Amino acid sequence: MRAIGTRFSSAITRKFGMTGLAENHVTVQLRGACGQSLGAFAVQGLKLVVFGEANDYVGKGLSGATIVVRPMVSSTLASQDNTIIGNTVLYGATAGALFAAGQAGERFAVRNSGALTVVEGCGANGCEYMTGGVAVILGDVGDNFAAGMTGGMAFVYDRNGDFEARVNPDTVVWQRLGSSHWEAVLRNLIARHAEETASRWSAQLLTDWAHTAERVWQVCPKEMLNRLEHPLSDAAREAAE
């Protein structure tokens, strides 16, 4: 299964170019345990849906494709409490999306520069050196979160109230949701995650949105604060108008 996304994308690129096909033009469904580098460098037009699990480097260099990893329909596991994808997921991704109904390993979204993603927890060094894109983590994160993060945006649902002890403060700031724009971005991504993965956890968070929103941290690189088209708070946006 490791080479399917890459070889398929090679064929797409040779015939249609990197962006010649509409998003999700063709869907490939896989079942079982995928090896390393599932969907590496996969391009726009391709959608990979995995019923099972995947190893390290899912979406390495992702270049426009959509990857969905979800448990088997028959699984009784609580997705938010179990790991479904390995380490160093979305390493160097530039575009596309990843939705995983479960936790990721360490170094999640490291050097991500443009992909959108929703997972249900991650290990140490999440969003390390991230320069673009949006990462949503619907659960616990490991130590040293957002180390060297200089671009993009992250949202963390702080299940156990320990996020502030795990984030690296050197290059980022974090705050509760204060912008109607960014709250809508977050909610729409969680809704898409629920639709793509059939995650009961994300559906539950959406159902009790008022409570969910109170426990979310928005993480933004310090150097982006004065460059955001949409400020982190509605008060700041109104003051600028």
Side-chain angles (χ1 to χ4, degrees):
M1 292 184 181
R2 289 182 296 178
I4 289 176
T6 307
R7 293 183 66 181
F8 205 137
S9 293
S10 175
I12 290 174
T13 303
R14 286 197 301 269
K15 188 168 184 177
F16 301 103
M18 291 285 289
T19 59
L21 293 181
E23 291 185 5
N24 306 332
H25 180 81
V26 59
T27 298
V28 177
Q29 290 192 352
L30 307 169
R31 294 182 181 273
C34 297
Q36 292 191 346
S37 300
L38 171 76
F41 311 108
V43 299
Q44 181 175 304
L46 177 62
K47 181 176 183 179
L48 297 174
V49 181
V50 177
F51 291 83
E53 59 191 27
N55 209 325
D56 301 340
Y57 290 101
V58 173
K60 176 175 67 177
L62 188 68
S63 302
T66 298
I67 301 175
V68 177
V69 186
R70 51 177 294 180
M72 295 285 192
V73 175
S74 59
S75 174
T76 59
L77 295 175
S79 61
Q80 71 273 19
D81 296 325
N82 290 274
T83 299
I84 196 168
I85 50 180
N87 300 318
T88 326
V89 169
L90 292 179
Y91 179 84
T94 59
L98 166 69
F99 301 97
Q103 298 178 6
E106 297 183 351
R107 302 195 77 196
F108 170 71
V110 60
R111 299 190 186 279
N112 175 31
S113 63
L116 307 176
T117 181
V118 183
V119 297
E120 299 180 2
C122 71
N125 304 304
C127 296
E128 184 180 32
Y129 303 124
M130 185 167 152
T131 62
V134 179
V136 178
I137 299 93
L138 302 177
D140 298 335
V141 301
D143 293 335
N144 205 34
F145 184 83
M149 180 179 174
T150 57
M153 195 73 69
F155 298 89
V156 178
Y157 176 71
D158 193 4
R159 287 179 67 184
N160 296 312
D162 59 359
F163 171 77
E164 291 188 281
R166 299 185 180 278
V167 64
N168 186 312
D170 289 348
T171 62
V172 298
V173 297
W174 57 94
Q175 66 174 50
R176 297 299 190 182
L177 292 173
S179 158
S180 55
H181 168 81
W182 288 111
E183 183 173 341
V185 168
L186 172 62
R187 188 167 186 171
N188 288 339
L189 281 171
I190 298 175
R192 186 176 172 191
H193 178 262
E195 180 181 0
E196 296 280 10
T197 68
S199 167
R200 291 186 292 272
W201 177 242
S202 54
Q204 177 183 326
L205 294 177
L206 289 169
T207 298
D208 192 11
W209 183 252
H211 181 259
T212 297
E214 292 176 351
R215 301 181 70 175
V216 170
W217 293 103
Q218 183 171 4
V219 183
C220 179
K222 294 175 182 177
E223 66 178 68
M224 293 300 298
L225 290 173
N226 296 324
R227 305 178 187 178
L228 294 172
E229 181 180 357
H230 301 280
L232 298 184
S233 71
D234 287 336
R237 175 182 57 79
E238 292 168 0
E241 290 178 348

